[in-house]
C-alpha cells in the first residue's frame, strides 16, 4: 500500500511541477529554444533537398538509358539494312512468260 501512495505522491508532485513551469515560462512550444526549432527546420530542408536530388538523378539515368536503347535499336536496324542484299532485278510475272512465240 505504501508503494501505491508513494507513486501517487510522486505523480502529483510531477504534475504540480509541470503546471508551475507552464505558468511561469509559458507553453511547451514557447519554452522550446530557437536553436532546436532551427535545427529541425534545417534538417527538414536537407531531407527535402536529398529527395529532390534523388528524383532528378532517377530521371537523368532513365533518360540516358532510353537514349542508349534508341541508339542501339537504330544501329541494329542499320546493320540489318546493310546485311540484306538489295535485289534490283525485276521479277517476271505470269503474264510476260506466256508471250513468247
Amino acid at each position: 500500500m505504501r508503494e501505491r501512495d508513494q507513486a501517487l505522491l510522486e505523480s502529483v508532485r510531477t504534475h504540480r511541477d509541470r503546471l508551475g513551469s507552464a505558468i511561469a515560462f509559458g507553453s511547451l512550444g514557447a519554452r522550446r529554444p530557437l536553436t532546436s526549432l532551427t535545427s529541425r527546420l534545417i534538417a527538414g530542408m536537407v531531407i527535402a533537398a536529398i529527395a529532390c536530388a534523388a528524383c532528378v538523378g532517377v530521371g537523368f539515368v532513365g533518360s540516358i538509358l532510353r537514349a542508349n536503347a534508341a541508339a542501339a535499336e537504330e544501329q541494329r536496324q542499320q546493320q540489318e539494312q546493310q546485311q540484306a542484299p538489295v535485289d534490283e532485278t525485276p521479277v517476271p510475272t505470269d503474264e510476260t512468260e506466256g508471250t513468247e512465240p
Side-chain angles (χ1 to χ4, degrees), residues 19-96:
L19 281 175
S21 9
I23 290 171
F25 302 110
S27 66
L28 184 61
R31 285 184 281 159
R32 207 172 262 148
L34 184 61
T35 57
S36 172
L37 296 175
T38 305
S39 64
R40 287 183 182 195
L41 177 69
I42 291 173
M45 293 176 94
V46 167
I47 290 171
I50 290 171
C52 288
C55 290
V56 169
V58 167
F60 179 71
V61 169
S63 68
I64 288 175
L65 291 176
R66 280 191 297 277
N68 286 346
E73 178 67 24
E74 184 179 327
Q75 186 178 16
R76 186 188 61 78
Q77 287 177 356
Q78 287 177 355
Q79 286 177 353
E80 286 178 358
Q81 288 176 356
Q82 290 174 357
Q83 289 176 357
V86 178
D87 189 21
E88 295 182 10
T89 58
V91 177
T93 60
D94 292 337
E95 295 173 6
T96 58

